[in-house]
Amino acid sequence: MNQTTASTWKQFDELQRKIKSYHEAVALMHWDLRTGAPKKGAQGRSETIGMLMTEAFRLQTSEEMGNFLTYLNSPAVLAELDEIKQRIITVTQEEYDRSVKIPPKKYQEYTELTALAETLWEDFKEEGDYAGFEPYLAQIIEKTNEFIDYWGSKATRYDTLLHMYEPDLTVEKLDEVFGQLRDRLVPLVEAIKEASQEPQASFMNQLFDKAQQEKFGLFMLEQMGYDFEAGRVDESVHPFEITLNQGDVRITTHYLQDDVTFALFSSLHEGGHALYEQNVSPELAGTPLGEGASMGIHESQSRLWENFIGRSLEFWTRYYGDLQQHFPEQLKNVTVDEFYKAVNRVENSLVRIQADELTYNLHIIIRYEIEKQLFNDGLSVSDLPKVWNEKYKAYLGLTPPNDSLGVLQDVHWSGGSFGYFPSYALGNMYAAQIVNTMRKQLPNLDDLIAEGNFAPIKEWLTEQIYKYGKSQKPAEIMKRVTGEELNPNYLADYLEQKYKAIYGLS
Amino acid sequence: MNQTTASTWKQFDELQRKIKSYHEAVALMHWDLRTGAPKKGAQGRSETIGMLMTEAFRLQTSEEMGNFLTYLNSPAVLAELDEIKQRIITVTQEEYDRSVKIPPKKYQEYTELTALAETLWEDFKEEGDYAGFEPYLAQIIEKTNEFIDYWGSKATRYDTLLHMYEPDLTVEKLDEVFGQLRDRLVPLVEAIKEASQEPQASFMNQLFDKAQQEKFGLFMLEQMGYDFEAGRVDESVHPFEITLNQGDVRITTHYLQDDVTFALFSSLHEGGHALYEQNVSPELAGTPLGEGASMGIHESQSRLWENFIGRSLEFWTRYYGDLQQHFPEQLKNVTVDEFYKAVNRVENSLVRIQADELTYNLHIIIRYEIEKQLFNDGLSVSDLPKVWNEKYKAYLGLTPPNDSLGVLQDVHWSGGSFGYFPSYALGNMYAAQIVNTMRKQLPNLDDLIAEGNFAPIKEWLTEQIYKYGKSQKPAEIMKRVTGEELNPNYLADYLEQKYKAIYGLS
């Protein structure tokens, strides 16, 4: 690097880190709002979040940033930079190009609105009050539509949103992949409905002491290698992972007294996200590459720990005894095989985050279709509960008794995260494909899980995925790790094999 | 207001609120660092705090702010403004004049250093590792001295620091007031030492379940009128109150298993601070006047609830039965009178925050003298533990067995709060003087306390003190409320009367 490039890079890096600082402050405020911040402070807090995000936004779209990029993103200068720095420039340029189109005032209004709505959503959900929530949601959608206008519509308006969470993902691709998946899963779900043998699960309907659940959940996080000195675990209405900085990667969970597995699987899930963030290469920490590659890849890591490991027979062979020790009364007459089958019982249900591994994908498809309608077909906000309920009836044969268990169940829309839901199903597909490769490279994978020896698994994931952070795109990662593009058949194969065994299907 | 003034004021107000937003973010980060933030994130966090404080500082000292003040703080314009706005200008001008003298780079270094040191202090204290802490403390003192150079020394260098926490307070005044107080309290402590009757307190040396302590502490906060919808209660090594915004006034406490009163009295203490902040007039919220008048006045409100109410016979007449219900085994053979006397036992001790109401003042005088020596007489940081221990021997007849119980016991110095400690003794004196007036205006004060009817007391304090926020100076408040200047005799009278009764002295 010549001297001008070196000194420009240094200033650019400082500006980046300053922007990161704002994001850390805002992340802490979001964490706080969802882990017990007092209600009466929410209005003031949302103004503060709005102000800080606006400042970060102002820096991101500043003339200074524009000038750095003009200089650094020229072919001659790029040629002087190493691959990591080149990728930092690419990512920053994309972010800059997107952000610079939004008027700062609009941006501030949006962040204040979503911060407030996320907080209020908790109450609206609890009370099942969609009418109360509707005006906030309507405003968020209106503002999101304005943003799409500023950014410019891709193939469809909804494509523009998808691309933000999963680079290069399109409605066309998603329709195709979801179509393939549905064509293989629907017959499976049907076959299961007709199956003669059904897992026994009545023992699940007991009370499980929260303190014991908490103890077991923390034990499992320890087992999987979550670094408690670089994070903390709290409770919130909806479990989440949030990264403040690389030494502070927090997760939350939510305990249900009458469901011993919900908090546990959500801990494994958020723990999977956290392992990814805690193990990004330290040289990327604090740069725009010091985070997960995309929402879909992130979700593949949470799903991998939650389902592919946590809902496997090997896992429970190792840990069921421990769980029994925490709940000796409730589980005394239940064998590990019965328990394994019970946590893999397929049952059409209303609540996404409580759904089984198989029908979960239908919950996502419902949301995907609704979001497409909202942005591409002008579905009105007041019709949302109706459409929601119709789709649940059509896809899962169920009608929510109230909006708490229906359209109000997820936090995402209150935070403006439209286009995010498909990541969950993408994550399942990525995870199946990645596990398929891992199984070849760690031939004793099942034994490792059955021994609770997760270190080699964490190590493999770190080497293959975690350490790269955002320095490669999702498609590049999949190609490098698995040798091929996203292929939904791995997930379908895995689910077929697993559930045929559990339900005794041929 | 003419149009130019109105529009300038609007812009000035927006800038103020923006600065407040930074302070809210930083306050949350400090709260978080002390209530469970992971260790590995502390370094990154302190850089973030440094960056945000530097931004706030940059705004506070900006040309824009300078221009607003030049315009608004001119006699002709001031005459157009109401009293509140005039006072906002005065306070902001003082802050501006002080801040503009510090180079932003120096300021950033200082905030990063103190944020880090505050976090590390917890470990150093736990390990009693003064050698580990010393280099941080030395740097903080060095930087504080640089700041004094920038600000310019008042009568003495230490005066400059005192003034920051208590406007117009001087070493001269403090020497005088502390002298008067000492002259009356020392004979009282002596007499108590010689007293033939001594409160029985061996029942205090039992284990008191933490969960029960927590329940009782929260109950008492409810009783005193702490608004839980505008705050939350957590645990930390050292209890504190922190205001994020007027709807979010948090307190922490610390439970000791072998001391049933520590957490309770610290809750009443921090609860007193919080009542003040929660009840500042809403029209002042978000302005520079939307907080307590000074550290000393603030402390008067915490002391008032902790000691004047919480350590009174009337208080325990009302609440001892409740406490017994929480600890039926431990307290079954203890009468209310015995308990009252036990919580007012005078005993020379090593730890300030566990000291009784009377000797507490000696702990403050020790710190005051040490801080004077540090800044006025060149006491070296490496000699601090020695001097600390000598003074404890001289004033309280005790030698700390280790630095955890000695020079490392308080968080203040790690945060750079030199000149703060005297506020605690000032608070005692203010409180005694305020209670003397309150007793005249609420003649049934003792009955109200004995009934647990705190609403009229909170109401009186709101009308007399809380609602004014920072719109009056400490001396103005004392004059308006009590009709006279600070007079240490009220505290001395109160303590004499109380302790003579308890110890059966004539």
Side-chain angles (χ1 to χ4, degrees):
Chain A
M1 263 198 276
N2 74 40
Q3 221 179 338
T4 315
T5 303
S7 102
T8 306
W9 182 270
K10 189 164 174 287
Q11 291 171 61
F12 166 74
D13 185 59
E14 273 168 20
L15 180 57
Q16 286 288 8
R17 285 176 198 273
K18 197 164 166 180
I19 294 168
K20 277 263 174 195
S21 291
Y22 282 98
H23 291 164
E24 176 171 348
V26 170
L28 181 62
M29 292 191 156
H30 278 295
W31 172 84
D32 185 63
L33 282 173
R34 291 162 71 180
T35 55
K39 293 272 171 278
K40 289 185 184 170
Q43 178 66 45
R45 176 63 61 82
S46 67
E47 286 163 19
T48 298
I49 288 176
M51 194 286 291
L52 292 172
M53 287 303 286
T54 303
E55 279 304 299
F57 188 80
R58 197 181 57 73
L59 294 175
Q60 237 161 8
T61 57
S62 62
E63 211 184 316
E64 199 186 1
M65 179 64 93
N67 292 339
F68 289 147
L69 286 170
T70 303
Y71 177 84
L72 293 168
N73 205 10
S74 65
V77 175
L78 276 181
E80 289 184 75
L81 302 177
D82 64 30
E83 219 176 316
I84 292 295
K85 288 196 171 66
Q86 287 173 356
R87 174 80 182 142
I88 288 175
I89 294 298
T90 307
V91 166
T92 310
Q93 183 78 59
E94 280 171 10
E95 183 73 25
Y96 175 80
D97 291 342
R98 187 158 56 228
S99 301
V100 83
K101 292 176 181 162
I102 308 291
K105 183 82 187 157
K106 292 277 174 196
Y107 184 76
Q108 176 159 9
E109 284 168 15
Y110 176 79
T111 49
E112 286 181 16
L113 173 64
T114 49
L116 181 61
E118 267 195 304
T119 309
L120 297 177
W121 163 78
E122 288 193 14
D123 284 341
F124 291 132
K125 178 184 172 177
E126 204 174 312
E127 293 153 19
D129 181 8
Y130 182 76
F133 185 55
E134 191 186 316
Y136 294 94
L137 187 57
Q139 280 185 67
I140 294 170
I141 291 171
E142 191 191 316
K143 286 183 194 296
T144 304
N145 266 315
E146 284 181 43
F147 283 13
I148 296 174
D149 289 335
Y150 287 121
W151 287 321
S153 173
K154 293 189 180 278
T156 75
R157 295 180 68 80
Y158 185 53
D159 276 276
T160 308
L161 300 177
L162 284 177
H163 176 72
M164 296 210 336
Y165 297 103
E166 202 67 13
D168 307 329
L169 184 67
T170 61
V171 166
E172 192 186 352
K173 177 77 179 171
L174 219 41
D175 281 345
E176 175 203 324
V177 174
F178 278 172
Q180 281 180 274
L181 195 63
R182 196 171 38 215
D183 289 350
R184 289 194 58 189
L185 298 191
V186 168
L188 181 58
V189 174
E190 287 300 314
I192 286 170
K193 228 187 256 166
E194 307 298 317
S196 54
Q197 72 185 67
E198 162 120 39
Q200 223 287 76
S202 60
F203 63 85
M204 287 291 204
N205 298 321
Q206 298 178 80
L207 287 186
F208 295 87
D209 179 56
K210 185 181 140 178
Q212 288 298 315
Q213 286 197 43
E214 193 175 350
K215 260 170 88 174
F216 188 71
L218 293 176
F219 165 69
M220 281 315 311
L221 284 167
E222 221 176 276
Q223 290 286 299
M224 68 190 278
Y226 175 77
D227 183 350
F228 283 87
E229 290 195 350
R232 54 177 283 174
V233 181
D234 294 85
E235 279 185 69
S236 62
V237 174
H238 187 101
F240 64 95
E241 177 273 320
I242 195 163
T243 302
L244 298 156
N245 62 51
Q246 208 186 4
D248 192 350
V249 179
R250 303 182 180 195
I251 60 179
T252 67
T253 188
H254 183 74
Y255 300 99
L256 297 176
Q257 273 227 306
D258 56 356
D259 183 346
V260 71
T261 60
F262 178 77
L264 171 67
F265 287 124
S266 82
S267 288
L268 293 175
H269 180 100
E270 305 307 338
H273 284 303
L275 280 195
Y276 192 176
E277 296 277 316
Q278 286 182 336
N279 292 289
V280 169
S281 171
E283 60 168 331
L284 302 180
T287 79
L289 309 185
E291 57 188 49
S294 71
M295 292 304 150
I297 297 290
H298 232 305
E299 199 63 16
S300 77
Q301 297 313 301
S302 54
R303 295 284 150 170
L304 195 154
W305 286 96
E306 177 192 358
N307 290 335
F308 292 78
I309 294 174
R311 282 193 167 87
S312 71
L313 183 56
E314 293 74 21
F315 180 88
W316 288 108
T317 304
R318 165 64 188 83
Y319 290 107
Y320 185 60
D322 287 304
L323 186 69
Q324 275 183 314
Q325 279 180 19
H326 285 76
F327 301 102
E329 265 314 303
Q330 292 92 330
L331 299 177
K332 67 181 168 199
N333 295 321
V334 182
T335 68
V336 59
D337 190 62
E338 286 168 333
F339 189 84
Y340 163 70
K341 287 180 174 164
V343 301
N344 285 294
R345 200 170 16 124
V346 175
E347 190 171 33
N348 294 4
S349 67
L350 287 168
V351 177
R352 177 182 61 89
I353 55 171
Q354 289 173 270
D356 59 79
E357 219 180 323
L358 184 55
T359 60
Y360 186 93
N361 299 289
L362 297 176
H363 290 264
I364 297 306
I365 291 171
I366 289 173
R367 284 155 181 76
Y368 169 64
E369 292 182 355
I370 290 177
E371 290 189 345
K372 263 202 304 186
Q373 286 185 38
L374 274 171
F375 289 96
N376 289 352
D377 310 321
L379 171 62
S380 111
V381 181
S382 57
D383 288 339
L384 258 187
K386 193 172 133 275
V387 173
W388 181 284
N389 292 353
E390 283 168 4
K391 288 200 181 283
Y392 265 81
K393 184 72 192 165
Y395 283 72
L396 290 152
L398 298 167
T399 303
N402 56 56
D403 291 332
S404 298
L405 294 169
V407 69
L408 286 172
Q409 70 182 260
D410 296 304
V411 70
H412 303 62
W413 292 344
S414 73
S417 300
F418 296 100
Y420 186 115
F421 279 120
S423 315
Y424 292 122
L426 273 181
N428 288 336
M429 294 185 275
Y430 287 148
Q433 191 166 335
I434 289 165
V435 169
N436 180 67
T437 300
M438 178 160 60
R439 194 173 286 287
K440 288 179 199 152
Q441 297 181 13
L442 297 177
N444 60 339
L445 182 62
D446 288 340
D447 296 337
L448 293 175
I449 297 172
E451 291 158 10
N453 184 5
F454 296 129
I457 298 173
K458 188 182 138 196
E459 177 67 17
W460 188 88
L461 290 167
T462 299
E463 285 307 309
Q464 295 294 323
I465 295 167
Y466 298 166
K467 74 174 186 187
Y468 290 91
K470 210 176 184 163
S471 65
Q472 297 191 334
K473 284 194 172 189
E476 291 176 285
I477 293 174
M478 291 309 291
K479 197 69 195 270
R480 177 178 49 74
V481 176
T482 72
E484 59 178 311
E485 284 178 11
L486 172 63
N487 177 348
N489 287 319
Y490 289 106
L491 178 61
D493 290 346
Y494 156 80
L495 291 171
E496 269 178 17
Q497 196 192 343
K498 176 170 180 174
Y499 285 101
K500 281 185 173 170
I502 291 171
Y503 281 86
L505 306 172
S506 57
Chain B
M1 264 199 276
N2 72 41
Q3 220 178 341
T4 314
T5 303
S7 103
T8 306
W9 181 270
K10 189 164 174 288
Q11 291 171 61
F12 166 73
D13 184 60
E14 272 167 21
L15 180 57
Q16 286 288 8
R17 286 175 197 274
K18 197 164 167 181
I19 294 168
K20 276 263 173 197
S21 292
Y22 282 98
H23 291 165
E24 176 171 348
V26 170
L28 181 63
M29 292 192 155
H30 278 295
W31 172 85
D32 185 63
L33 282 172
R34 291 162 71 182
T35 55
K39 293 273 171 275
K40 289 184 183 171
Q43 178 65 45
R45 176 63 61 82
S46 67
E47 286 163 20
T48 298
I49 289 175
M51 194 287 291
L52 292 172
M53 286 303 286
T54 303
E55 278 304 299
F57 188 79
R58 197 181 58 73
L59 294 176
Q60 237 160 9
T61 57
S62 62
E63 210 185 315
E64 198 186 2
M65 178 65 92
N67 291 339
F68 290 147
L69 286 170
T70 304
Y71 177 83
L72 294 167
N73 205 10
S74 65
V77 175
L78 275 181
E80 290 183 77
L81 302 177
D82 64 30
E83 221 176 316
I84 292 295
K85 289 195 170 67
Q86 288 173 358
R87 174 80 182 144
I88 288 175
I89 295 298
T90 306
V91 167
T92 310
Q93 183 77 58
E94 280 170 10
E95 184 73 24
Y96 175 81
D97 291 342
R98 186 159 56 228
S99 301
V100 83
K101 293 176 180 162
I102 308 292
K105 184 82 187 159
K106 292 277 174 196
Y107 184 76
Q108 176 159 9
E109 285 167 15
Y110 175 79
T111 49
E112 286 181 16
L113 173 64
T114 50
L116 182 61
E118 266 196 304
T119 310
L120 297 176
W121 163 79
E122 288 193 14
D123 284 342
F124 291 132
K125 178 185 172 176
E126 204 173 311
E127 292 153 20
D129 180 6
Y130 183 77
F133 185 55
E134 190 185 316
Y136 294 95
L137 187 57
Q139 280 185 68
I140 293 170
I141 290 171
E142 191 191 318
K143 285 183 194 298
T144 304
N145 265 315
E146 285 181 42
F147 283 13
I148 296 174
D149 289 336
Y150 287 121
W151 287 320
S153 173
K154 294 189 180 275
T156 76
R157 294 179 69 79
Y158 185 53
D159 276 277
T160 308
L161 300 177
L162 284 177
H163 176 72
M164 295 211 337
Y165 297 103
E166 203 66 13
D168 308 329
L169 184 67
T170 61
V171 166
E172 192 186 353
K173 177 78 181 170
L174 219 41
D175 281 346
E176 175 202 324
V177 173
F178 278 172
Q180 281 180 272
L181 196 64
R182 196 171 38 216
D183 288 351
R184 291 192 57 187
L185 298 190
V186 168
L188 180 58
V189 173
E190 286 302 314
I192 286 171
K193 228 186 255 167
E194 306 297 318
S196 54
Q197 72 184 66
E198 161 122 38
Q200 224 287 77
S202 60
F203 61 85
M204 288 290 204
N205 299 321
Q206 299 179 78
L207 287 185
F208 294 88
D209 179 56
K210 185 181 140 179
Q212 288 298 316
Q213 285 196 43
E214 193 175 349
K215 259 169 87 173
F216 189 71
L218 294 175
F219 166 67
M220 281 314 312
L221 284 167
E222 221 176 275
Q223 290 285 300
M224 69 190 279
Y226 175 77
D227 182 351
F228 282 87
E229 290 195 350
R232 54 177 282 172
V233 181
D234 293 85
E235 278 184 71
S236 63
V237 174
H238 187 102
F240 63 94
E241 177 275 319
I242 196 163
T243 302
L244 298 155
N245 63 50
Q246 208 186 4
D248 192 349
V249 179
R250 304 183 179 194
I251 60 178
T252 67
T253 188
H254 183 74
Y255 299 99
L256 297 176
Q257 274 225 307
D258 57 356
D259 183 345
V260 70
T261 60
F262 178 78
L264 170 66
F265 287 123
S266 82
S267 288
L268 293 176
H269 180 100
E270 305 307 337
H273 283 304
L275 280 196
Y276 192 177
E277 296 276 316
Q278 287 183 334
N279 293 288
V280 170
S281 170
E283 61 167 331
L284 302 180
T287 79
L289 308 185
E291 57 189 49
S294 72
M295 292 303 149
I297 297 290
H298 232 305
E299 199 63 17
S300 76
Q301 297 313 301
S302 55
R303 294 285 150 167
L304 194 153
W305 286 95
E306 178 193 358
N307 291 334
F308 292 78
I309 294 175
R311 283 193 168 88
S312 70
L313 183 56
E314 293 74 22
F315 179 89
W316 288 108
T317 302
R318 164 64 188 83
Y319 290 106
Y320 184 61
D322 287 305
L323 186 69
Q324 275 183 314
Q325 280 181 17
H326 285 76
F327 301 102
E329 264 313 304
Q330 292 93 329
L331 299 178
K332 67 181 168 199
N333 296 319
V334 182
T335 68
V336 59
D337 190 63
E338 287 168 333
F339 189 83
Y340 163 70
K341 286 179 173 164
V343 300
N344 284 294
R345 200 171 16 124
V346 175
E347 190 170 33
N348 295 3
S349 67
L350 287 168
V351 178
R352 177 181 61 87
I353 54 170
Q354 289 173 267
D356 59 79
E357 217 179 326
L358 183 56
T359 60
Y360 186 94
N361 299 288
L362 296 177
H363 290 264
I364 296 307
I365 290 170
I366 288 173
R367 285 156 180 76
Y368 169 64
E369 292 181 357
I370 289 177
E371 290 189 346
K372 263 203 303 186
Q373 287 185 38
L374 274 171
F375 290 95
N376 289 352
D377 310 323
L379 171 63
S380 110
V381 181
S382 56
D383 288 339
L384 258 187
K386 193 173 133 275
V387 173
W388 181 284
N389 293 353
E390 284 167 4
K391 287 200 181 282
Y392 265 81
K393 185 73 191 165
Y395 283 72
L396 290 151
L398 298 166
T399 303
N402 56 55
D403 290 333
S404 298
L405 296 169
V407 68
L408 285 173
Q409 70 181 262
D410 296 304
V411 69
H412 304 62
W413 292 344
S414 72
S417 301
F418 296 100
Y420 186 115
F421 280 120
S423 316
Y424 293 122
L426 273 182
N428 289 335
M429 293 185 276
Y430 287 148
Q433 191 167 335
I434 289 165
V435 169
N436 180 67
T437 301
M438 178 159 60
R439 195 172 286 287
K440 287 180 199 154
Q441 295 182 12
L442 298 176
N444 60 338
L445 180 63
D446 288 340
D447 297 337
L448 293 175
I449 298 172
E451 291 157 12
N453 183 5
F454 296 130
I457 298 173
K458 188 182 138 198
E459 176 68 17
W460 188 88
L461 289 167
T462 299
E463 286 307 308
Q464 295 294 323
I465 296 168
Y466 298 166
K467 74 173 185 186
Y468 289 92
K470 210 176 185 162
S471 64
Q472 298 191 331
K473 283 193 172 189
E476 290 175 286
I477 293 174
M478 292 308 289
K479 198 71 195 269
R480 178 178 48 73
V481 176
T482 71
E484 60 178 312
E485 285 178 10
L486 173 63
N487 178 347
N489 287 318
Y490 290 107
L491 178 61
D493 290 346
Y494 156 80
L495 291 171
E496 269 179 17
Q497 196 193 340
K498 176 171 181 173
Y499 285 101
K500 282 185 173 171
I502 292 171
Y503 281 87
L505 305 173
S506 59

